[in-house]
Amino acid sequence: MAKNILYPGTFDPITYGHIDLIKKALKIADKVIVAISENSNKNYLFDSHERMILVEKSLYQDLKIKKSKVQVITFNSLTTDLCKKMNSKIILRGLRAVSDFEYEFQLAGMNRKLDSSIETMFLMSDFENQIISSRFVKEIIELGGDIKKFTTQSVVKELKKKYA
């Protein structure tokens, strides 16, 4: 069993697809480290601090996942450097569709070139969660749709505030 698995991403916002992967990773690791990117090249709806709070509320309060099993952090470094810092030899990445594969394959290859001791593990969420993306969740709420099937109560509440 792996000790720590690092799950990097933007989580803007976290969805049931992300959460599905976290739960699956917990079956093969002692701890999942959810690492929220602070990449300033992207246009986020929520800043990194807001995203961290939303992930924590979603996991710890809404879903009652133990803090000892999932750690939530922000980062602004190479993912491979963060792996070293967090004592993780595995990067978790999610695949939803074939269209994700090319980008994820390139990313995994670059990370492997940066540090050959770190492996990238790909998981797919359950079928009902594969279609969910943060982008679609934001578009649906912006257009007045119901997103309760796609994300947690905490996220729904905060998205409603942003689009009120």
Side-chain angles (χ1 to χ4, degrees):
M1 181 178 263
K3 184 169 175 72
N4 294 330
I5 290 178
L6 184 79
Y7 184 21
T10 57
F11 306 98
D12 187 37
I14 190 167
T15 68
Y16 284 138
H18 298 122
I19 292 164
D20 199 2
L21 294 183
I22 292 167
K23 288 179 177 180
K24 286 180 181 202
L26 284 171
K27 293 178 182 178
I28 55 177
D30 295 327
K31 182 185 233 177
V32 174
I33 301 159
V34 177
I36 300 165
S37 172
E38 295 180 339
N39 184 343
S40 60
N41 294 334
K42 292 195 175 186
N43 239 351
Y44 298 117
L45 179 62
F46 297 100
D47 67 34
S48 61
H49 181 70
E50 290 172 316
R51 286 181 279 139
M52 187 169 96
I53 290 169
L54 273 179
V55 171
E56 288 175 340
K57 283 182 178 180
S58 293
L59 298 176
Y60 306 147
Q61 291 175 16
D62 296 342
L63 300 172
K64 310 292 186 225
I65 295 175
K66 294 179 182 174
K67 289 182 181 181
S68 62
K69 296 302 236 172
V70 178
Q71 180 180 1
V72 182
I73 62 172
T74 60
F75 77 106
N76 191 10
S77 66
L78 289 172
T79 304
T80 52
D81 290 345
L82 184 61
C83 282
K84 291 175 199 166
K85 180 180 175 185
M86 302 307 293
N87 194 28
S88 175
K89 293 289 182 188
I90 300 173
I91 298 170
L92 171 63
R93 298 297 294 173
L95 292 175
R96 287 184 303 247
V98 175
S99 58
D100 290 342
F101 182 76
E102 186 174 347
Y103 171 76
E104 293 296 343
F105 179 78
Q106 290 175 334
L107 188 60
M110 289 303 291
N111 285 331
R112 185 86 170 144
K113 284 282 192 189
L114 289 168
D115 189 330
S116 62
S117 70
I118 297 171
E119 295 290 338
T120 299
M121 177 179 67
F122 296 101
L123 290 176
M124 293 177 61
S125 61
D126 288 340
F127 182 75
E128 67 270 9
N129 294 320
Q130 286 178 10
I131 58 158
I132 303 171
S133 74
S134 297
R135 185 186 62 166
F136 286 154
V137 168
K138 290 183 281 194
E139 285 179 22
I140 291 166
I141 192 111
E142 185 176 16
L143 296 170
D146 184 2
I147 58 169
K148 291 178 188 145
K149 295 177 190 172
F150 309 122
T151 192
T152 64
Q153 292 175 350
S154 293
V155 173
V156 171
K157 181 180 173 186
E158 291 304 314
L159 281 170
K160 283 183 176 180
K161 285 182 190 175
K162 288 276 187 184
Y163 289 105

